[in-house]
Amino acid sequence: MVQPSKSKSGSSPSGAPVPGRAWLMLALATIGFAVNFWAWALLSPLGPRFKDSLDLSSFEQSLLVAVPVVVGSLGRIPVGALTDRFGGRIMFPIVTAVTIVPVLYLGLAGHSSLAALLAGGFFLGVGGTAFAVGVPFVNAWFPPERRGMAIGVFGAGMGGTAISALTTVKLVDAGSMATPFVLTAVLLAVYAVAAALLLRDAPGRTVPTEPLARRLAATARLSITWQASALYAVAFGGYVAFSVYLPTYLKTGYGLTQADAANRMAGFVLLAVAMRPMGGWLSDRLGPVRVLSGSLAVVVAGAVAQSFTPALAPAGTLAFLAMAAALGAGSGATFALVALLTPASKVGSVTGVVGAAGGLGGFLPPLVMGSLYGAYESYAVGLALLAVVAAAALVFTLTRVRAAVEGEDRASGPGRGQRTGTAHTTV
């Protein structure tokens, strides 16, 4: 007879060991996320080069690097729902294999005009949907009291953008425009095969039976969907925006070379990546509201400081590194919040919507920054707007989000996890 466990975690007794296979699945998912994000970010480091070779305006360059972001973001909604239904074992190889096509197109033929780059970038966005596959896949393998940490570790796969930043320009200089794209396509192919052979969905994974449209409608009715979406649009959206636009910002605003700007962007990304699992880990212990509040407060302070365009050493560098750490920790804390408040059968669907919001949060700022710089030859207004948005998110966290978490704690009581559908079934 199947009975729900009454443990505090709602999944396994508190402190129960996590099986070794769960760690293996986490490692495989994180690698897959990193490889797909590497592919997803290939155009960003080459943005200044395409601007010069194709004589692009600031807005056109911003559009070029933003298109994969918005497609990858919106694509997370159906991909997340499909992952709820079919599982990561099926969806990870599919998403990875499909991403190979635009990568090869861009490297071999699609970089000779803005129209060709935009077409390739559109389909390159598929790589960005891997996030919506990995979160529900990892979430199902870990008990609730470890999910913040586990999803944070998985989220470190966003470091694929740092690999892209560090290697893309160098590979083009050492070989040809096709070199980084062909290399990435090979790695995607290797991972797609490995994922098909090695990935396994968690035993007892909750499989929804309702039609896709009905599940998405039910997801839209959950308050956590929109609360987490708003926060992720700021936290992860800020990270995405800086990761795609920082080379241009540093080259234009501070006169750095393309290679130097790309290396500094990689440092920003690496710090954010390192702080993402830390944000999840801290959320498991302190609660996501505290971690989010602290992170957003740091973003406000960093954006205000940078809006005055201080000297890059040391003030500007410190401001950007502080924001990188805060945005990474805030992104991890947001998905700790999702793991805490979302029904198990809807984690993929909620992740899809929240992930889309995060990606869309990163789509708009590069366009705004490019337009504002074109109009005023200054980035100050754009950074001031970031400070205002982060401040609004901070107030939202301390009011609505805190009330939702406290309400969940009161409703769950000693059987925490039961109300949100995270109960573990035992025979």
Side-chain angles (χ1 to χ4, degrees):
M1 179 177 180
V2 177
Q3 303 249 354
S5 166
K6 298 300 182 183
S7 68
K8 181 179 179 179
S9 71
S11 177
S12 63
S14 181
V18 176
R21 175 167 281 194
W23 296 108
L24 174 61
M25 294 301 108
L26 173 59
L28 290 170
T30 304
I31 292 170
F33 181 30
V35 172
N36 276 277
F37 252 42
W38 181 352
W40 192 41
L42 281 170
L43 290 180
S44 176
L46 297 172
R49 179 164 301 199
F50 289 132
K51 182 179 189 296
D52 294 338
S53 64
L54 300 177
D55 194 25
L56 305 180
S57 67
S58 294
F59 178 81
E60 288 173 332
Q61 181 186 352
S62 300
L63 182 64
L64 171 63
V65 299
V67 163
V69 174
V70 71
V71 174
S73 302
L74 292 176
R76 291 174 188 175
I77 298 175
V79 168
L82 288 170
T83 303
D84 277 340
R85 177 67 180 84
F86 297 107
R89 182 183 182 184
I90 292 176
M91 293 300 297
F92 244 131
I94 289 175
V95 166
T96 305
V98 170
T99 304
I100 295 172
V101 177
V103 169
L104 286 177
Y105 166 76
L106 285 166
L108 299 177
H111 55 264
S112 58
S113 69
L114 177 61
L117 284 167
L118 291 176
F122 181 91
F123 292 101
L124 188 65
V126 173
T129 67
F131 179 73
V133 178
V135 169
F137 176 79
V138 169
N139 186 80
W141 272 105
F142 285 81
E145 70 272 11
R146 305 295 291 276
R147 285 176 183 162
M149 176 278 302
I151 295 174
V153 170
F154 167 76
M158 68 187 189
T161 57
I163 299 173
S164 181
L166 287 169
T167 63
T168 302
V169 174
K170 293 176 182 177
L171 287 170
V172 170
D173 290 340
S176 67
M177 183 61 69
T179 304
F181 294 90
V182 172
L183 174 62
T184 308
V186 171
L187 293 174
L188 288 167
V190 170
Y191 181 77
V193 173
L197 294 175
L198 300 176
L199 286 184
R200 296 292 183 272
D201 290 313
R205 181 180 71 88
T206 304
V207 180
T209 57
E210 294 179 321
L212 176 62
R214 186 177 299 176
R215 284 188 285 123
L216 289 175
T219 298
R221 291 193 292 270
L222 294 173
S223 58
I224 179 59
T225 302
W226 305 112
Q227 290 171 352
S229 292
L231 295 172
Y232 205 56
V234 178
F236 186 70
Y239 160 80
V240 170
F242 279 121
S243 69
V244 301
Y245 199 73
L246 196 54
T248 300
Y249 174 92
L250 293 173
K251 185 174 183 292
T252 305
Y254 287 95
L256 300 185
T257 65
Q258 181 183 352
D260 192 13
N263 288 336
R264 290 173 184 270
M265 185 271 274
F268 179 98
V269 169
L270 287 172
L271 180 56
V273 167
M275 287 302 297
R276 181 156 182 158
M278 182 62 68
W281 181 81
L282 287 172
S283 296
D284 286 339
R285 285 151 181 78
L286 304 177
V289 170
R290 289 182 179 178
V291 179
L292 279 164
S293 300
S295 299
L296 290 167
V298 171
V299 173
V300 172
V304 169
Q306 192 57 35
S307 68
F308 293 98
T309 316
L312 198 55
T317 298
L318 290 175
F320 276 119
L321 291 179
M323 286 192 286
L327 292 169
S331 297
T334 301
F335 270 92
L337 187 71
V338 169
L340 177 67
L341 299 179
T342 305
S345 63
K346 293 183 174 64
V347 170
S349 299
V350 172
T351 295
V353 177
V354 175
L360 290 174
F363 171 75
L364 186 60
L367 299 180
V368 172
M369 294 288 275
S371 298
L372 288 174
Y373 188 84
Y376 303 107
E377 294 190 354
S378 172
Y379 291 114
V381 176
L383 287 158
L385 287 174
L386 171 61
V388 170
V389 171
L394 175 59
V395 173
F396 181 68
T397 300
L398 293 173
T399 53
R400 295 290 297 276
V401 176
R402 172 179 283 173
V405 172
E406 291 175 350
E408 166 67 13
D409 289 342
R410 288 193 297 269
S412 298
R416 183 174 178 173
Q418 301 299 319
R419 191 171 75 84
T420 59
T422 56
H424 176 63
T425 57
T426 57
V427 179

